[in-house]
Coordinates of all heavy atoms in Angstrom, one line a residue:
M9 N 42.6 112.7 110.0 CA 43.3 111.5 109.6 C 43.4 110.5 110.8 O 43.8 110.9 111.9 CB 44.7 111.7 109.0 CG 44.7 112.6 107.7 SD 44.0 111.7 106.3 CE 45.5 111.0 105.6
Q10 N 43.2 109.3 110.5 CA 43.4 108.2 111.5 C 44.8 107.5 111.1 O 45.1 107.4 110.0 CB 42.4 107.1 111.4 CG 40.9 107.6 111.8 CD 40.9 107.8 113.3 OE1 41.4 106.9 114.0 NE2 40.3 108.8 113.8
H11 N 45.5 107.1 112.1 CA 46.7 106.3 111.9 C 46.4 104.9 112.2 O 45.6 104.5 113.0 CB 47.9 106.8 112.8 CG 49.1 106.1 112.5 ND1 49.9 106.5 111.5 CD2 49.7 105.1 113.1 CE1 51.0 105.7 111.4 NE2 50.8 104.8 112.4
A12 N 47.0 104.0 111.3 CA 46.9 102.5 111.6 C 48.2 101.8 111.3 O 48.9 102.2 110.4 CB 45.7 102.0 110.6
T13 N 48.4 100.8 112.1 CA 49.5 99.8 111.9 C 48.8 98.5 111.4 O 48.0 98.0 112.1 CB 50.3 99.6 113.1 OG1 50.8 100.9 113.5 CG2 51.4 98.6 112.9
L14 N 49.2 98.1 110.2 CA 48.8 96.8 109.7 C 49.8 95.8 109.9 O 51.0 96.0 109.4 CB 48.4 96.9 108.3 CG 47.3 97.9 107.9 CD1 47.1 98.0 106.3 CD2 45.9 97.5 108.5
H15 N 49.5 94.7 110.5 CA 50.5 93.5 110.5 C 50.1 92.7 109.3 O 48.9 92.4 109.1 CB 50.3 92.7 111.8 CG 50.8 93.4 113.0 ND1 52.1 93.7 113.1 CD2 50.2 94.0 114.1 CE1 52.3 94.4 114.2 NE2 51.2 94.5 114.8
I16 N 51.1 92.4 108.5 CA 50.8 91.7 107.3 C 51.6 90.4 107.2 O 52.8 90.4 107.2 CB 51.2 92.6 106.0 CG1 50.5 93.9 106.2 CG2 50.8 91.9 104.7 CD1 50.9 95.0 105.2
E17 N 50.8 89.3 107.0 CA 51.4 88.0 106.9 C 51.7 87.7 105.4 O 50.9 88.1 104.5 CB 50.5 86.9 107.4 CG 50.3 86.9 108.9 CD 49.3 86.0 109.4 OE1 49.1 84.9 108.9 OE2 48.5 86.4 110.3
G18 N 52.7 86.9 105.1 CA 53.0 86.5 103.8 C 54.0 87.2 103.0 O 54.4 86.9 101.9
M19 N 54.5 88.4 103.6 CA 55.5 89.2 102.9 C 56.9 88.6 103.1 O 57.2 88.2 104.2 CB 55.5 90.6 103.4 CG 54.2 91.3 103.0 SD 54.2 93.0 103.8 CE 55.3 93.9 102.7
S20 N 57.8 88.6 102.0 CA 59.1 88.1 102.2 C 60.2 88.8 101.5 O 61.4 88.5 101.7 CB 59.1 86.6 101.8 OG 58.7 86.4 100.4
C21 N 59.8 89.6 100.5 CA 60.9 90.2 99.6 C 60.5 91.5 99.1 O 59.4 92.0 99.4 CB 61.3 89.2 98.5 SG 59.9 89.1 97.3
A22 N 61.3 92.1 98.2 CA 61.0 93.4 97.6 C 59.8 93.4 96.8 O 59.1 94.4 96.7 CB 62.3 93.9 96.8
H23 N 59.6 92.3 96.1 CA 58.3 92.1 95.4 C 57.1 92.4 96.3 O 56.1 93.0 95.9 CB 58.2 90.8 94.7 CG 56.9 90.6 94.1 ND1 56.4 91.1 92.9 CD2 55.9 89.8 94.5 CE1 55.2 90.6 92.7 NE2 54.8 89.9 93.7
C24 N 57.1 91.7 97.4 CA 56.0 91.8 98.3 C 55.8 93.3 98.8 O 54.7 93.8 98.9 CB 56.3 90.9 99.5 SG 56.5 89.2 99.2
L25 N 57.0 94.0 99.1 CA 56.9 95.4 99.4 C 56.2 96.2 98.4 O 55.3 97.0 98.7 CB 58.3 95.9 99.7 CG 59.0 95.4 100.9 CD1 60.4 96.0 100.9 CD2 58.3 95.8 102.2
N26 N 56.6 95.9 97.1 CA 56.0 96.7 96.0 C 54.5 96.4 95.9 O 53.7 97.3 95.7 CB 56.7 96.2 94.7 CG 57.5 97.2 94.1 OD1 57.4 98.4 94.5 ND2 58.4 96.9 93.2
A27 N 54.1 95.1 96.0 CA 52.8 94.7 95.8 C 51.9 95.3 96.9 O 50.8 95.9 96.6 CB 52.7 93.2 95.8
V28 N 52.3 95.3 98.1 CA 51.5 95.8 99.2 C 51.4 97.4 99.1 O 50.4 98.0 99.2 CB 52.1 95.5 100.6 CG1 51.5 96.3 101.7 CG2 52.0 94.0 100.8
N29 N 52.6 98.0 98.7 CA 52.6 99.4 98.5 C 51.6 99.8 97.5 O 50.8 100.8 97.7 CB 54.0 99.9 98.1 CG 54.5 101.0 98.8 OD1 53.8 102.0 98.9 ND2 55.7 101.0 99.2
Q30 N 51.6 99.1 96.3 CA 50.7 99.5 95.3 C 49.3 99.3 95.6 O 48.4 100.0 95.2 CB 51.1 98.7 94.0 CG 52.4 99.3 93.3 CD 52.7 98.6 92.0 OE1 51.9 97.8 91.5 NE2 53.9 98.8 91.5
A31 N 49.0 98.2 96.3 CA 47.6 97.9 96.7 C 47.1 99.0 97.6 O 45.9 99.4 97.4 CB 47.6 96.5 97.4
L32 N 47.9 99.4 98.5 CA 47.5 100.4 99.4 C 47.4 101.8 98.8 O 46.4 102.5 99.0 CB 48.4 100.5 100.7 CG 48.3 99.3 101.6 CD1 49.5 99.5 102.7 CD2 46.9 99.2 102.3
A33 N 48.3 102.1 97.9 CA 48.4 103.4 97.2 C 47.2 103.6 96.3 O 46.9 104.7 96.0 CB 49.7 103.5 96.5
A34 N 46.7 102.5 95.8 CA 45.5 102.6 94.9 C 44.3 103.0 95.6 O 43.3 103.4 94.9 CB 45.3 101.2 94.2
L35 N 44.2 102.9 96.9 CA 43.0 103.3 97.6 C 42.8 104.8 97.8 O 43.9 105.5 98.0 CB 43.0 102.6 99.0 CG 42.9 101.1 99.0 CD1 43.2 100.6 100.5 CD2 41.6 100.7 98.5
P36 N 41.6 105.3 97.6 CA 41.4 106.7 97.9 C 41.5 107.0 99.4 O 41.1 106.1 100.2 CB 40.0 107.0 97.3 CG 39.3 105.6 97.4 CD 40.4 104.6 97.2
G37 N 41.9 108.2 99.8 CA 41.9 108.6 101.1 C 42.9 108.0 102.0 O 42.8 108.1 103.2
I38 N 44.0 107.5 101.4 CA 45.1 106.9 102.2 C 46.4 107.5 101.9 O 46.7 107.8 100.8 CB 45.1 105.4 102.0 CG1 46.2 104.7 102.9 CG2 45.3 105.0 100.6 CD1 46.2 103.2 102.9
T39 N 47.2 107.7 102.9 CA 48.6 108.1 102.8 C 49.4 107.0 103.5 O 49.3 106.6 104.6 CB 48.8 109.4 103.6 OG1 48.0 110.4 103.0 CG2 50.3 109.9 103.4
I40 N 50.5 106.5 102.7 CA 51.3 105.5 103.2 C 52.5 106.1 103.9 O 53.2 107.0 103.4 CB 51.8 104.6 102.1 CG1 50.7 103.9 101.4 CG2 52.8 103.5 102.6 CD1 51.0 103.1 100.1
D41 N 52.7 105.8 105.2 CA 53.7 106.3 105.9 C 55.0 105.5 105.7 O 56.1 106.0 105.6 CB 53.4 106.4 107.5 CG 52.2 107.4 107.6 OD1 52.1 108.4 106.9 OD2 51.3 107.0 108.5
S42 N 54.8 104.2 105.8 CA 55.9 103.2 105.6 C 55.4 101.8 105.4 O 54.3 101.5 105.9 CB 56.9 103.2 106.8 OG 56.3 102.6 107.8
V43 N 56.1 101.1 104.5 CA 55.8 99.7 104.4 C 57.1 98.9 104.5 O 58.1 99.2 103.9 CB 55.2 99.4 102.9 CG1 55.0 97.9 102.8 CG2 53.9 100.1 102.7
R44 N 57.1 98.0 105.5 CA 58.2 97.0 105.7 C 57.7 95.7 105.6 O 56.5 95.4 105.6 CB 58.8 97.3 107.1 CG 59.6 98.6 107.2 CD 60.2 98.8 108.5 NE 59.2 99.2 109.5 CZ 59.3 98.9 110.8 NH1 60.3 98.1 111.2 NH2 58.4 99.3 111.6
I45 N 58.6 94.7 105.6 CA 58.2 93.3 105.5 C 57.4 93.0 106.8 O 57.9 93.2 107.9 CB 59.4 92.4 105.3 CG1 59.8 92.6 103.9 CG2 58.9 90.9 105.6 CD1 61.0 91.7 103.4
G46 N 56.1 92.6 106.6 CA 55.3 92.3 107.7 C 54.6 93.4 108.4 O 53.8 93.1 109.4
R47 N 54.7 94.6 107.9 CA 54.1 95.7 108.6 C 53.9 97.0 107.7 O 54.9 97.3 107.0 CB 55.1 96.0 109.8 CG 54.6 97.1 110.7 CD 55.7 97.4 111.7 NE 55.5 98.5 112.6 CZ 55.0 98.4 113.8 NH1 54.9 97.2 114.3 NH2 54.8 99.4 114.6
A48 N 52.8 97.6 107.8 CA 52.6 98.8 107.1 C 52.0 99.9 108.1 O 51.1 99.5 108.9 CB 51.6 98.6 105.9
E49 N 52.5 101.1 108.0 CA 52.0 102.2 108.7 C 51.3 103.1 107.7 O 51.9 103.6 106.7 CB 53.1 103.0 109.4 CG 54.0 102.2 110.3 CD 53.5 102.1 111.7 OE1 52.6 102.8 112.1 OE2 54.0 101.2 112.4
V50 N 50.0 103.4 108.0 CA 49.3 104.2 107.0 C 48.5 105.3 107.9 O 48.2 105.1 109.1 CB 48.3 103.4 106.2 CG1 49.1 102.4 105.4 CG2 47.3 102.8 107.1
S51 N 48.1 106.4 107.2 CA 47.1 107.3 107.7 C 46.0 107.3 106.7 O 46.2 107.2 105.5 CB 47.8 108.7 107.7 OG 48.9 108.7 108.6
Y52 N 44.8 107.4 107.2 CA 43.7 107.4 106.3 C 42.6 108.4 106.7 O 42.5 108.6 107.9 CB 43.1 106.0 106.1 CG 42.5 105.3 107.3 CD1 41.2 105.4 107.6 CD2 43.4 104.7 108.2 CE1 40.6 104.9 108.7 CE2 42.8 104.2 109.4 CZ 41.4 104.2 109.6 OH 40.9 103.7 110.7
D53 N 41.8 108.8 105.7 CA 40.7 109.7 106.1 C 39.5 108.8 106.3 O 38.9 108.2 105.4 CB 40.5 110.7 104.8 CG 39.4 111.7 105.1 OD1 38.5 111.4 106.0 OD2 39.5 112.8 104.5
E54 N 39.0 108.9 107.5 CA 38.0 107.9 107.9 C 36.6 108.3 107.3 O 35.6 107.6 107.3 CB 37.8 107.8 109.4 CG 37.3 109.1 110.1 CD 38.5 110.1 110.5 OE1 39.5 110.1 109.8 OE2 38.3 110.9 111.5
R55 N 36.5 109.5 106.6 CA 35.3 109.8 105.9 C 35.3 109.2 104.5 O 34.2 109.1 103.8 CB 35.2 111.3 105.7 CG 35.0 112.1 107.0 CD 35.2 113.6 106.9 NE 36.6 113.8 106.3 CZ 37.1 115.0 106.0 NH1 36.3 116.1 106.1 NH2 38.3 115.1 105.5
I56 N 36.5 108.7 104.0 CA 36.6 108.2 102.7 C 36.8 106.6 102.8 O 36.3 105.9 101.9 CB 37.8 108.8 102.0 CG1 37.5 110.3 101.8 CG2 38.1 108.2 100.6 CD1 38.6 111.1 101.3
T57 N 37.6 106.2 103.7 CA 37.9 104.8 103.7 C 37.9 104.3 105.1 O 37.7 105.0 106.1 CB 39.2 104.4 103.0 OG1 39.4 103.1 102.8 CG2 40.4 105.0 103.8
N58 N 38.2 103.0 105.3 CA 38.2 102.4 106.7 C 39.1 101.2 106.8 O 39.7 100.8 105.7 CB 36.8 101.9 107.1 CG 36.1 101.0 106.1 OD1 36.8 100.1 105.7 ND2 34.9 101.3 105.7
L59 N 39.3 100.7 107.9 CA 40.3 99.6 108.1 C 39.9 98.4 107.2 O 40.8 97.7 106.8 CB 40.4 99.2 109.6 CG 41.2 100.1 110.5 CD1 41.1 99.7 111.9 CD2 42.6 100.2 110.0
A60 N 38.7 98.1 107.2 CA 38.2 96.9 106.4 C 38.6 97.0 105.0 O 39.0 96.0 104.3 CB 36.7 96.7 106.6
A61 N 38.5 98.2 104.4 CA 38.9 98.4 103.0 C 40.4 98.2 102.9 O 40.9 97.7 101.9 CB 38.5 99.8 102.6
L62 N 41.2 98.7 103.8 CA 42.6 98.6 103.8 C 43.0 97.1 103.8 O 43.8 96.6 103.0 CB 43.3 99.3 105.0 CG 43.1 100.8 105.1 CD1 43.8 101.3 106.3 CD2 43.4 101.5 103.9
E63 N 42.4 96.4 104.7 CA 42.7 94.9 104.9 C 42.2 94.2 103.6 O 43.0 93.3 103.1 CB 42.0 94.3 106.1 CG 42.5 94.9 107.4 CD 41.7 94.5 108.6 OE1 40.6 93.9 108.4 OE2 42.1 94.7 109.7
A64 N 41.1 94.5 103.0 CA 40.6 93.9 101.8 C 41.6 94.1 100.6 O 41.9 93.2 99.8 CB 39.3 94.4 101.4
A65 N 42.1 95.4 100.6 CA 43.1 95.7 99.4 C 44.3 94.8 99.6 O 44.9 94.3 98.6 CB 43.4 97.1 99.4
V66 N 44.8 94.7 100.7 CA 46.0 93.9 101.0 C 45.7 92.4 100.7 O 46.5 91.7 100.1 CB 46.6 94.0 102.4 CG1 47.7 93.1 102.6 CG2 47.0 95.5 102.6
A67 N 44.5 92.0 101.1 CA 44.2 90.6 100.8 C 44.1 90.3 99.3 O 44.5 89.2 98.8 CB 42.8 90.3 101.5
E68 N 43.6 91.3 98.6 CA 43.4 91.1 97.1 C 44.9 91.0 96.5 O 45.0 90.3 95.5 CB 42.8 92.3 96.5 CG 41.3 91.9 96.0 CD 40.6 93.1 95.5 OE1 41.1 93.8 94.5 OE2 39.5 93.5 96.0
A69 N 45.8 91.6 97.1 CA 47.2 91.5 96.6 C 47.9 90.2 97.0 O 49.0 89.9 96.5 CB 48.1 92.7 97.1
G70 N 47.2 89.4 97.9 CA 47.7 88.1 98.2 C 48.3 87.9 99.6 O 48.9 86.9 99.9
Y71 N 48.0 88.9 100.4 CA 48.7 88.8 101.7 C 47.5 89.0 102.8 O 46.3 89.3 102.5 CB 49.7 90.0 101.9 CG 50.7 90.0 100.9 CD1 50.5 90.8 99.8 CD2 51.8 89.1 100.9 CE1 51.5 90.7 98.7 CE2 52.7 89.0 99.9 CZ 52.5 89.8 98.8 OH 53.4 89.8 97.8
R72 N 47.8 88.8 104.1 CA 46.8 88.8 105.1 C 47.1 89.9 106.1 O 48.1 89.9 106.8 CB 46.7 87.5 105.8 CG 45.6 87.4 106.8 CD 45.2 86.0 107.2 NE 44.2 86.0 108.1 CZ 44.4 86.1 109.5 NH1 45.7 86.0 109.9 NH2 43.5 86.1 110.3
A73 N 46.3 90.9 106.1 CA 46.6 92.1 106.9 C 45.6 92.1 108.1 O 44.4 91.8 108.0 CB 46.3 93.4 106.1
T74 N 46.2 92.5 109.3 CA 45.4 92.7 110.5 C 45.7 94.0 111.1 O 46.9 94.2 111.3 CB 45.6 91.6 111.5 OG1 45.7 90.3 110.8 CG2 44.6 91.5 112.5
A75 N 44.7 94.8 111.3 CA 45.1 96.1 112.0 C 45.4 95.8 113.4 O 44.8 95.1 114.1 CB 43.8 97.0 111.9
A76 N 46.5 96.5 113.9 CA 47.1 96.3 115.2 C 46.1 97.1 116.2 O 45.6 98.1 115.8 CB 48.4 96.8 115.3
Ligands
CU209 CU1 58.0 88.6 98.0

């Protein structure tokens, strides 16, 4: 498993936390360690997914994620 910290722009409330959580949780090969406003900590199986897929899922939910 790889660990990643995503910096996420556009989050402001509990709804945002939910939306980001669900977007990430829907991806295969990922374990969410924590989601806070502006930041998500995740572990992922690099044989199944990658940082670009994580960033794209967050983008689809309406936020802008950048891997730290
Ligand atoms: Cu919000």
